[in-house]
């Protein structure tokens, strides 16, 4: 899918290093006070050996360079990160729209409570806060919040039987 000067496509193995680099830059910029549970090398290895080869990973590229990444895992929008210099250009919205098309029954995701820009972004895209925790279940031990998105029924359409 090509929109403006960016292209969104499935990631291939050779994208793993660039995907990890986007994740590392975005995490550092958005969450400078959140303790990372893994070193840069561990993050790169995880994307190279686990995420890109075995999960539904998408990249947004501009002029051939990866500037955004998204991972879908079941109904979870598991990862969505953009290069900090590319935020606010509609790329994240395109990735969320793709996620909704790929998971039309609904999506869920976690984000850290301190990440106000991400929370506003997801809320603008129809995600609703469903659960908050004190961070005891995540590796960073950072309070987080679970968001869910369910497609809205068409006005006047009959509800499906349960």
């Amino acid at each position: 899918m090509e929109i403006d000067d960016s292209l969104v496509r499935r990631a291939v193995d050779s994208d793993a290093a660039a995907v990890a680099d986007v994740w590392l830059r975005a995490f550092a910029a958005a969450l400078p006070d959140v303790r990372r549970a893994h070193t840069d090398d561990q993050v790169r290895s995880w994307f190279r050996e686990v995420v890109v080869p075995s999960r539904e990973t998408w990249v947004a590229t501009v002029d051939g360079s990866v500037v955004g990444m998204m991972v879908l895992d079941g109904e979870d929008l598991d990862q969505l990160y953009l290069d900090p210099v590319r935020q606010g250009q509609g790329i994240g919205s395109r990735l969320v729209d793709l996620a909704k098309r790929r998971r039309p029954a609904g999506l869920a995701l976690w984000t850290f409570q301190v990440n106000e820009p991400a929370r506003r972004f997801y809320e603008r895209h129809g995600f609703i806060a469903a659960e908050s925790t004190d961070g005891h279940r995540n590796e960073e031990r950072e309070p987080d919040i679970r968001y869910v998105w369910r497609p809205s029924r068409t006005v006047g359409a009959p509800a499906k039987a349960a």
Side-chain angles (χ1 to χ4, degrees), residues 13-25 59 64-69:
D13 289 346
S14 61
D15 292 320
V19 167
D21 287 343
V22 165
W23 188 98
L24 289 164
R25 284 193 303 277
V59 294
S65 296
V66 174
V67 298
M69 53 80 67

Side-chain angles (χ1 to χ4, degrees), residues 18-98:
V19 167
D21 287 343
V22 165
W23 188 98
L24 289 164
R25 284 193 303 277
F27 193 99
L31 302 163
D33 297 326
V34 173
R35 179 189 75 82
R36 281 209 1 243
H38 301 282
T39 67
D40 289 4
D41 286 342
Q42 289 170 326
V43 169
R44 287 185 178 99
S45 175
W46 180 62
F47 277 102
R48 181 181 62 248
E49 297 172 15
V50 177
V51 176
V52 173
S54 64
R55 301 221 175 108
E56 186 178 343
T57 306
W58 293 84
V59 294
T61 64
V62 174
D63 297 329
S65 296
V66 174
V67 298
M69 53 80 67
M70 175 180 74
V71 178
L72 298 173
D73 186 12
E75 79 161 14
D76 286 337
L77 197 170
D78 191 46
Q79 305 283 330
L80 176 61
Y81 288 90
L82 298 177
D83 193 305
V85 301
R86 292 296 181 166
Q87 292 178 0
Q89 299 176 4
I91 297 168
S93 293
R94 283 178 271 198
L95 289 169
V96 167
D97 291 345
L98 172 63

